[in-house]
Amino acid sequence: FRAANLGDTAGFIASYRKSLAIREAVLRADPNNAQAERELLRTHGRLSDALLASGDPNGAVDQLKQLLPLAEKLSAADPNNIANRRNLALAYLDYGWKRSGLGDWQGGLDDCRKAVAMLESQASSGPSDKTTRRVLALAYDRTGELLSVYAGQHAESLALVEKALAIEHSLLEQDPRNSDVRRMQGWDTMRAGEELNASGDRVQALAKYQAAM
């Protein structure tokens, strides 16, 4: 899911459930094993994605409810670990994004805003951290989309998308051949067009759509 794959979502889910059971057993045997906790966190996240792809949003959110306490624990145990802090922000972003589709978009928006604040702080203290800047761009985009879809706040959504585009432009200046960031830039350029169109500025919206294409 979200990458090149064979389309065997059922096989993906079956394999990850086996992985989850093994990693939970490892952690029960060694409760203070931080590496096992990080691996379990990733497994919950991947399984959440697979369940969402298979049409089970409730199952996807349930995996994230189990993931969040792990992310909180890892971040609290080692506050100077950038990866742990970034994973906690990503956990809130993913949880907020996915539960918004189940009816609680206000709570989901709060979680996404929390993730944005965490990532902004991390990016400010480590401006050379390309991974954190990329994730911050994603957080701006997802928060903006929730504002647009559920609250009709197109101006604020556009402002967040423009922040994402500024980060992507900066990252591509450093690494022009980065196809992942280039795809993000194309997507966010289209998103800017959608917000401009919703606000009635069809001339600028058309220019953004053409640039995205």
Side-chain angles (χ1 to χ4, degrees):
F1 187 54
R2 294 180 179 162
N5 65 83
L6 298 176
D8 182 6
T9 306
F12 185 128
I13 292 171
S15 292
Y16 266 84
R17 288 202 186 281
K18 291 176 184 177
S19 173
L20 189 67
I22 293 168
R23 287 181 166 155
E24 287 174 337
V26 169
L27 202 55
R28 282 195 299 272
D30 186 4
N32 296 315
N33 187 327
Q35 182 60 32
E37 288 177 324
R38 280 189 286 270
E39 290 169 352
L40 182 58
L41 185 149
R42 283 194 293 272
T43 302
H44 278 304
R46 294 283 181 85
L47 184 53
S48 173
D49 282 346
L51 290 167
L52 185 66
S54 71
D56 183 7
N58 287 291
V61 168
D62 182 63
Q63 290 298 316
L64 296 176
K65 287 179 181 177
Q66 298 176 66
L67 182 157
L68 264 170
L70 281 171
E72 291 273 13
K73 180 183 175 183
L74 285 165
S75 181
D78 188 0
N80 295 320
N81 186 305
I82 293 172
N84 286 348
R85 291 167 58 206
R86 184 169 58 237
N87 283 339
L88 177 59
L90 270 170
Y92 275 107
L93 180 65
D94 205 24
Y95 182 52
W97 173 255
K98 286 174 180 170
R99 76 180 176 123
S100 293
L102 296 178
D104 185 14
W105 69 265
Q106 293 97 334
L109 180 60
D110 287 343
D111 286 333
C112 288
R113 288 193 190 278
K114 184 182 295 186
V116 165
M118 290 178 180
L119 291 164
E120 284 178 335
S121 175
Q122 293 170 38
S124 177
S125 60
S128 62
D129 184 351
K130 295 179 183 178
T131 302
T132 296
R133 288 162 60 205
R134 177 201 173 279
V135 174
L136 176 56
L138 177 64
Y140 282 141
D141 176 70
R142 288 192 170 180
T143 305
E145 190 161 354
L146 293 186
L147 283 166
S148 176
V149 172
Y150 296 106
Q153 296 182 20
H154 302 295
E156 187 177 357
S157 177
L158 178 60
L160 289 172
V161 173
E162 287 175 340
K163 285 185 177 183
L165 284 166
I167 292 172
E168 290 151 10
H169 178 74
S170 174
L171 290 171
L172 286 168
E173 282 187 330
Q174 297 174 278
D175 184 10
R177 295 171 65 84
N178 190 317
S179 59
D180 172 58
V181 176
R182 185 73 69 186
R183 277 193 296 273
M184 290 176 65
Q185 184 187 46
W187 171 258
D188 284 331
T189 302
M190 184 179 72
R191 286 269 298 107
E194 291 173 349
E195 300 311 322
L196 287 162
N197 188 49
S199 301
D201 189 346
R202 288 172 175 76
V203 173
Q204 290 300 315
L206 178 60
K208 291 293 185 184
Y209 287 139
Q210 290 171 330
M213 185 169 63

